[in-house]
Amino acid sequence: MPSTERPPSHPPLDPKAAHLGTGVEAIKRDFLANLYTRLAKFPAVATRNDYYRALAYTVRDRLLARWIDTAQAYFHDASRTVAYLSAEFLIGPQLGSNLLYLGMTEDVRKAMASLDVDLEELLEHEEEPGLGNGGLGRLAACYMDSLATLQIPTIGYGIRYEFGIFDQQIRDGWQLEVTDKWLRLGNPWEIPRYDIEHMVKLGGHTEGYTDARGRYRVRWVPERVVKGHCYDTPVLGYGVKNANMLRLWEATACESFDFQAFNVGDYLRAVQEKMVSENLTKVLYPNDEPEAGKILRLEQQYFFVSCSLQDMVRIYLQRAKSLHGFQDKYAIQLNDTHPALAIPELMRLAIDEYDLSWEEAWDITTKTFGYTNHTLLPEALEAWSLPLFKRVLPRHLEIVYEINRRFLDEARFVLRDESRLARLSLIDEHGDKRVRMANLACVGSHAINGVAALHTELLKQTVLDDFYALWPQKFSNKTNGVTPRRFMMLSNPPLTKLITKSIGDKWPRELTQLARLEPLANDAGFREEWAKAKHTNKVALARHLSRLHGVVLDPNTLFDVQVKRIHEYKRQHLNVLHVIAMYQGIKTGQNPSPTPRTVFFGGKAAPGYWLAKLVIKLIHSVAEVVNHDKATRDLLKVVFIPDFNVKVAQHVYPAAELSEQISTAGKEASGTGNMKFQMNGALTIGTLDGANIEIREEVGADNFFLFGLTTQEVHDARANGYDPRAVYEAQPQLREVIDLLSSGYFSRGDKALFEPIVGRLLDRDDYMLMADFASYIAAQDAVSRAYQDRERWTRMSIINSARSGKFSSDRSIQEYCDEIWRVKPVDVENK
Ligand code: 26W
């Protein structure tokens, strides 16, 4: 019987028959059974990783029932399905969240304790799948969580990178990138699907021919073909029985060993195809904005897009005779332009492989795709050079040309403005020609959205203004959100307990319920418990960081936190200027007794982004001086938390009191860390940028420390010849701070080390740090004063959390479902 064929029909598996007990004894029994049978180990010789994997299998076996139930219900229903295409999924560690969703955490903790195993140790041991860079990748993971919790049939399609985002080590204050060998100890949460494989063509040329029905057709003759295998990871919904799946593709060679080459002793050629093919999904590109334009990146994008679409077509044709109606079965969301090749790929499949006419194929395509833009930064907008595109995707280039020809004809008819047509064109004709992926995504999608109100407005006014003029109806805003399950319940048990005790347990699935905390802000007893929960988390973070990095922290200081990717527009170096100002204030006695603070930084810099790496060095150099200066060390401490990732984030957000969201107005599309801080009762100091604006709208101006120029003011300042050096000259405090920095005071007298940072600030200051310095300092002084009044601070903290309901990813996803995907929930439980 061919391997992939299903055996003749058999009674449906009743996973319930395999129902595995959730009690302590059942867990203990199965844990030991897994240790013996799956790992061939017994406790005396078992390693921590053996224990971790034995537990992981014990937990995984208990969620499989939901997964199979769900798959059967969706199959039965032929449900309309959301396919979320993303080059990144930053899902974080899985054990803790699966225990939470299965309601097994405490039973497992007892079962492990009875075997002298500490569950916390195993949770810390888990290697997280770092299959993303930052905001975009984590958003995809939060959205997968909400889609399952809202019972929406969903498949997340992405890439199973062998090496994820690099591990960050710090050597003498400098970032060191270490390969992320996340799979070296195995990954118990994924299920390899050997029975599913798709062939992906690359390179080569096309040939025209006339088919049997006399129609002109095109054949793609590839230079090489790689095979796509997939690994499925279950995505549980919270408080429901639904379990969706994340299907990640891995590239392998069609022929993994060339025996002929081996026979003639050419061992390298014998395995060459294998190496070249596997390279495709070898590593995640660690860039968070600047686009690399590397051929492997283009091949990676096409590989996972083609596998994903072939997979959707395979599933669709299990019931349908042709691709007609494909758009009724699937709503495909493009997570930025990285998967935008899906548009010409669906056209290719429909026309070249499934005999549809161009018109039929285009109708299906435009009704199937939605496109989300996550950045306004010009350097992040993908535009592939034509020769490169042609070399890798000769057939797709033809299709892109045809899409463009028909599109410009239509647009010319409506707009009659040649210069606008040139901007709308999918092909940038200036200099070396490029394929504009954002334009392709806009033309091939029926819906285009930004990720925060300001961002969507700026999209309409700037980078996509021509498309907005043409198709205003396609545009909508979908403000980001984050899952309160991972970023409150899992990360912050002390606060979760207090909230549930106060308002019941509905809030994790209905976050607007938190509003019922507001009246309790006036209750001194509740405030005390709230402050205690925060303090408990601060002590826990201090202990965690001292255990891992040997730093000694005082949990009675104000925990001031900035954690996110390092980037000039996020202005970590503005935060450092404030630290230097505080330091000088203490040293000079101008501000002898400031509110004692611990300033935390965390974040990775793209390996090729040298200025961002210099900012990391700057933070460490200032920390070195400030933390060892007897005059300041009890009042001010600076800490850089290495290797910031989802697991570290779960320790940081609950302990934070001040959330630094200080990007130049108009640069941060949304931000999502800002929402995680707010939910956990941190107050925000921030600019009117991205979702900060909506957070401030929700919490009220008096519960938000605002500073800085608005987007319009930034624009006007730059339009009217903004001169950062003049600002420097005019502001004594700014001058002292900058002068101390360029004096070499923080670099052992080496004036040159930070000159690139100082020079850029005084000459260009692209991100308006000089302009915003004074108001930032003023806002920080307001923070210090506010923190002196603990009752007031705690009241503000409660209000911030109470008014964070809007920022649940459930709200975001519900909007996508209602306004873009038009998809309904499927309640697996009552199927
Ligand atoms: C091609 C290199 C590259 C890689 C990633 C370019 C751009 C990206 C992402 C779009 C960058 C990103 O993560 N953007 C962030 O997306 C978040 C989720 O919407 C937003 O909250 C952040 O503001 C935005 O910077």
Side-chain angles (χ1 to χ4, degrees):
M1 175 175 39
S3 67
T4 53
E5 288 318 299
R6 258 198 292 283
S9 68
H10 56 76
L13 281 174
D14 174 8
K16 295 198 179 42
H19 181 58
L20 305 156
T22 50
V24 175
E25 283 318 307
I27 291 164
K28 202 168 157 186
R29 183 200 61 227
D30 293 353
F31 170 80
L32 290 170
N34 281 316
L35 196 61
Y36 298 152
T37 57
R38 282 195 167 129
L39 300 163
K41 287 284 186 79
F42 51 95
V45 296
T47 64
R48 181 183 298 156
N49 190 58
D50 294 329
Y51 281 135
Y52 164 73
R53 294 187 66 198
L55 178 56
Y57 287 125
T58 306
V59 173
R60 191 187 80 176
D61 293 348
R62 280 159 174 73
L63 60 82
L64 284 181
R66 293 186 186 193
W67 207 10
I68 293 166
D69 280 0
T70 304
Q72 280 184 320
Y74 293 169
F75 184 77
H76 180 265
D77 251 39
S79 333
R80 181 166 163 74
T81 300
V82 171
Y84 200 84
L85 265 57
S86 181
E88 304 182 18
F89 284 97
L90 212 36
I91 60 174
Q94 297 295 295
L95 177 59
S97 61
N98 285 331
L99 285 173
L100 173 68
Y101 287 50
L102 291 167
M104 294 171 63
T105 311
E106 290 325 307
D107 284 351
V108 163
R109 195 184 303 284
K110 292 193 193 90
M112 291 300 108
S114 72
L115 296 163
D116 297 333
V117 178
D118 173 4
L119 175 60
E120 289 310 315
E121 250 184 53
L122 298 185
L123 290 170
E124 258 328 295
H125 169 83
E126 179 175 354
E127 178 86 34
E128 75 175 66
L131 306 179
N133 278 285
L136 171 139
R138 181 58 232 178
L139 185 84
C142 283
Y143 279 2
M144 288 299 290
D145 174 83
S146 286
L147 281 156
T149 300
L150 295 176
Q151 301 179 297
I152 305 294
T154 305
I155 306 175
Y157 280 114
I159 302 172
R160 182 181 182 267
Y161 301 101
E162 186 176 339
F163 305 118
I165 188 71
F166 59 85
D167 294 344
Q168 179 191 54
Q169 291 180 2
I170 301 294
R171 286 280 173 288
D172 182 29
W174 293 100
Q175 169 179 295
L176 199 66
E177 297 89 23
V178 176
T179 307
D180 165 43
K181 297 189 270 302
W182 72 285
L183 285 167
R184 76 186 174 289
L185 297 172
N187 169 22
W189 303 108
E190 64 182 8
I191 305 265
R193 293 291 192 207
Y194 299 112
D195 55 330
I196 296 174
E197 65 181 33
H198 297 292
M199 297 305 173
V200 177
K201 302 172 179 177
L202 290 165
H205 65 278
T206 64
E207 292 169 351
Y209 68 97
T210 308
D211 68 7
R213 289 157 54 188
R215 293 174 310 164
Y216 176 76
R217 308 295 300 275
V218 178
R219 165 181 318 110
W220 178 12
V221 184
E223 180 231 327
R224 63 196 177 97
V225 177
V226 295
K227 230 187 311 192
H229 280 291
C230 60
Y231 293 74
D232 294 350
T233 300
V235 180
L236 295 182
Y238 182 77
V240 294
K241 288 285 181 284
N242 294 57
N244 285 334
M245 85 175 165
L246 179 58
R247 177 159 282 181
L248 302 179
W249 300 99
E250 177 199 56
T252 56
C254 293
E255 194 45 64
S256 50
F257 190 73
D258 179 338
F259 227 91
Q260 305 331 317
F262 173 78
N263 286 343
V264 297
D266 186 343
Y267 305 129
L268 199 55
R269 196 160 55 75
V271 294
Q272 183 169 7
E273 189 193 331
K274 177 176 167 36
M275 285 176 358
V276 171
S277 305
E278 287 172 5
N279 251 352
L280 264 183
T281 53
K282 190 67 73 182
V283 65
L284 165 79
Y285 271 82
N287 310 318
D288 197 25
E289 298 283 358
E291 124 10 70
K294 298 278 186 300
I295 188 167
L296 187 62
R297 168 86 173 174
L298 179 62
E299 292 176 339
Q300 258 185 7
Q301 292 180 350
Y302 177 62
F303 168 76
F304 97 91
V305 153
S306 181
C307 288
S308 305
L309 280 170
Q310 291 188 61
D311 200 50
M312 284 181 250
V313 167
R314 175 187 62 81
I315 294 167
Y316 183 63
L317 293 180
Q318 283 171 343
R319 288 165 179 266
K321 296 277 164 294
S322 79
L323 283 189
H324 291 103
F326 183 85
Q327 70 278 17
D328 302 327
K329 165 70 178 178
Y330 288 109
I332 304 178
Q333 194 66 23
L334 303 175
N335 199 20
D336 215 279
T337 57
H338 313 151
L341 287 167
I343 291 163
E345 174 65 358
L346 183 54
M347 289 297 285
R348 182 187 73 84
L349 290 169
I351 296 166
D352 295 358
E353 311 281 339
Y354 293 93
D355 296 357
L356 268 60
S357 70
W358 179 278
E359 290 69 21
E360 291 168 323
W362 188 243
D363 179 55
I364 291 171
T365 298
T366 51
K367 286 184 177 139
T368 298
F369 288 106
Y371 159 53
T372 301
N373 173 287
H374 295 267
T375 181
L376 292 163
L377 300 182
E379 69 268 27
L381 298 177
E382 295 188 299
W384 292 105
S385 83
L386 222 57
L388 190 65
F389 199 102
K390 182 174 176 51
R391 210 166 91 215
V392 176
L393 302 166
R395 178 56 180 144
H396 294 76
L397 187 56
E398 293 171 356
I399 293 170
V400 165
Y401 278 151
E402 182 60 14
I403 291 173
N404 203 30
R405 185 185 67 76
R406 289 168 181 254
F407 162 56
L408 292 178
D409 284 357
E410 184 198 326
R412 184 173 296 109
F413 192 72
V414 179
L415 294 169
R416 303 195 185 294
D417 169 345
E418 282 308 318
S419 65
R420 180 164 262 181
L421 285 177
R423 290 195 304 272
L424 283 166
S425 174
L426 306 187
I427 311 297
D428 178 353
E429 309 284 350
H430 303 91
D432 56 353
K433 295 184 178 197
R434 291 171 171 277
V435 181
R436 296 164 167 154
M437 300 310 279
N439 294 33
L440 174 62
C442 288
V443 172
S445 300
H446 72 272
I448 302 163
N449 75 280
V451 291
L454 172 66
H455 172 61
T456 301
E457 282 318 302
L458 292 175
L459 278 179
K460 294 173 181 175
Q461 293 156 17
T462 61
V463 278
L464 300 180
D465 62 342
D466 299 308
F467 287 99
Y468 182 63
L470 197 56
W471 297 314
Q473 75 286 357
K474 284 191 177 184
F475 284 76
S476 74
N477 176 52
K478 298 287 174 286
T479 295
N480 283 165
V482 301
T483 171
R485 275 75 68 176
R486 181 175 289 274
F487 292 108
M488 289 183 81
M489 299 183 80
L490 195 57
S491 305
N492 197 342
L495 197 65
T496 297
K497 275 195 199 65
L498 175 58
I499 293 174
T500 299
K501 187 180 75 175
S502 312
I503 64 169
D505 64 1
K506 294 238 172 324
W507 60 272
R509 287 171 48 82
E510 217 183 306
L511 206 62
T512 49
Q513 287 275 332
L514 291 182
R516 296 171 49 211
L517 291 170
E518 198 147 340
L520 298 169
N522 305 320
D523 172 330
F526 181 80
R527 284 201 301 272
E528 193 186 334
E529 291 185 273
W530 187 271
K532 189 161 174 332
K534 179 58 76 177
H535 192 75
T536 303
N537 291 316
K538 292 170 72 178
V539 171
L541 179 64
R543 194 173 299 122
H544 180 73
L545 294 177
S546 72
R547 200 177 50 243
L548 252 67
H549 308 294
V551 289
V552 180
L553 303 175
D554 174 358
N556 298 310
T557 60
L558 165 60
F559 275 23
D560 171 349
V561 182
Q562 186 173 22
V563 286
K564 52 187 72 214
R565 288 293 296 249
I566 310 296
H567 199 290
E568 286 166 277
Y569 86 79
K570 294 174 186 281
R571 301 201 293 190
Q572 281 88 357
H573 43 334
L574 176 61
N575 190 333
V576 173
L577 295 184
H578 171 241
V579 168
I580 297 172
M582 278 195 288
Y583 174 74
Q584 282 180 313
I586 299 166
K587 293 286 282 184
T588 59
Q590 264 165 339
N591 180 4
S593 57
T595 299
R597 273 187 202 221
T598 304
V599 181
F600 297 85
F601 291 89
K604 295 173 180 177
Y609 194 175
W610 66 270
L611 194 108
K613 296 174 99 165
L614 188 56
V615 168
I616 292 177
K617 175 63 180 177
L618 173 65
I619 294 166
H620 285 89
S621 302
V622 170
E624 177 75 20
V625 172
V626 170
N627 298 351
H628 295 89
D629 187 321
K630 282 189 285 312
T632 58
R633 64 170 165 234
D634 301 334
L635 295 168
L636 181 57
K637 182 160 274 191
V638 178
V639 177
F640 187 92
I641 304 171
D643 204 31
F644 182 69
N645 56 23
V646 178
K647 192 196 285 183
V648 173
Q650 290 177 207
H651 289 286
V652 170
Y653 293 125
E657 293 173 295
L658 186 65
S659 157
E660 298 269 355
Q661 307 300 331
I662 63 175
S663 54
T664 314
K667 297 297 182 188
E668 187 71 84
S670 164
T672 45
N674 46 9
M675 300 164 184
K676 296 160 189 170
F677 280 112
Q678 181 199 356
M679 283 175 187
N680 285 283
L683 305 189
T684 303
I685 182 165
T687 52
L688 287 176
D689 195 19
N692 295 357
I693 297 169
E694 291 158 75
I695 290 174
R696 186 167 174 270
E697 278 164 9
E698 293 295 309
V699 303
D702 46 13
N703 292 302
F704 187 103
F705 298 98
L706 179 68
F707 78 96
L709 298 176
T710 63
T711 308
Q712 190 58 48
E713 289 163 343
V714 168
H715 182 265
D716 299 348
R718 300 207 71 85
N720 307 330
Y722 169 62
D723 175 6
R725 194 174 291 278
V727 180
Y728 158 83
E729 305 290 353
Q731 293 182 18
Q733 185 177 28
L734 176 56
R735 209 172 42 248
E736 281 155 26
V737 166
I738 294 291
D739 291 354
L740 190 63
L741 183 50
S742 36
S743 71
Y745 183 88
F746 297 106
S747 43
R748 304 194 183 111
D750 171 358
K751 290 186 169 42
L753 183 59
F754 298 124
E755 201 294 320
I757 292 176
V758 174
R760 253 184 208 211
L761 289 178
L762 292 176
D763 301 345
R764 301 185 1 217
D765 193 15
D766 296 333
Y767 298 100
M768 311 302 278
L769 278 79
M770 299 304 196
D772 279 351
F773 178 80
S775 68
Y776 181 50
I777 298 297
Q780 287 286 16
D781 292 347
V783 167
S784 294
R785 284 193 302 279
Y787 197 70
Q788 298 290 342
D789 175 348
R790 283 314 164 82
E791 291 309 313
R792 176 171 165 241
W793 185 276
T794 306
R795 206 195 306 274
M796 294 165 81
S797 168
I798 295 166
I799 298 289
N800 265 268
S801 183
R803 297 181 185 174
S804 66
K806 170 181 178 177
F807 303 107
S808 166
S809 44
D810 296 355
R811 184 269 315 151
S812 313
I813 287 295
Q814 196 57 58
E815 290 177 4
Y816 277 94
C817 289
D818 299 343
E819 297 159 30
I820 296 180
W821 302 331
R822 294 175 294 98
V823 67
K824 289 277 171 279
V826 172
D827 179 358
V828 167
E829 187 133 30
N830 311 317
K831 262 288 159 246

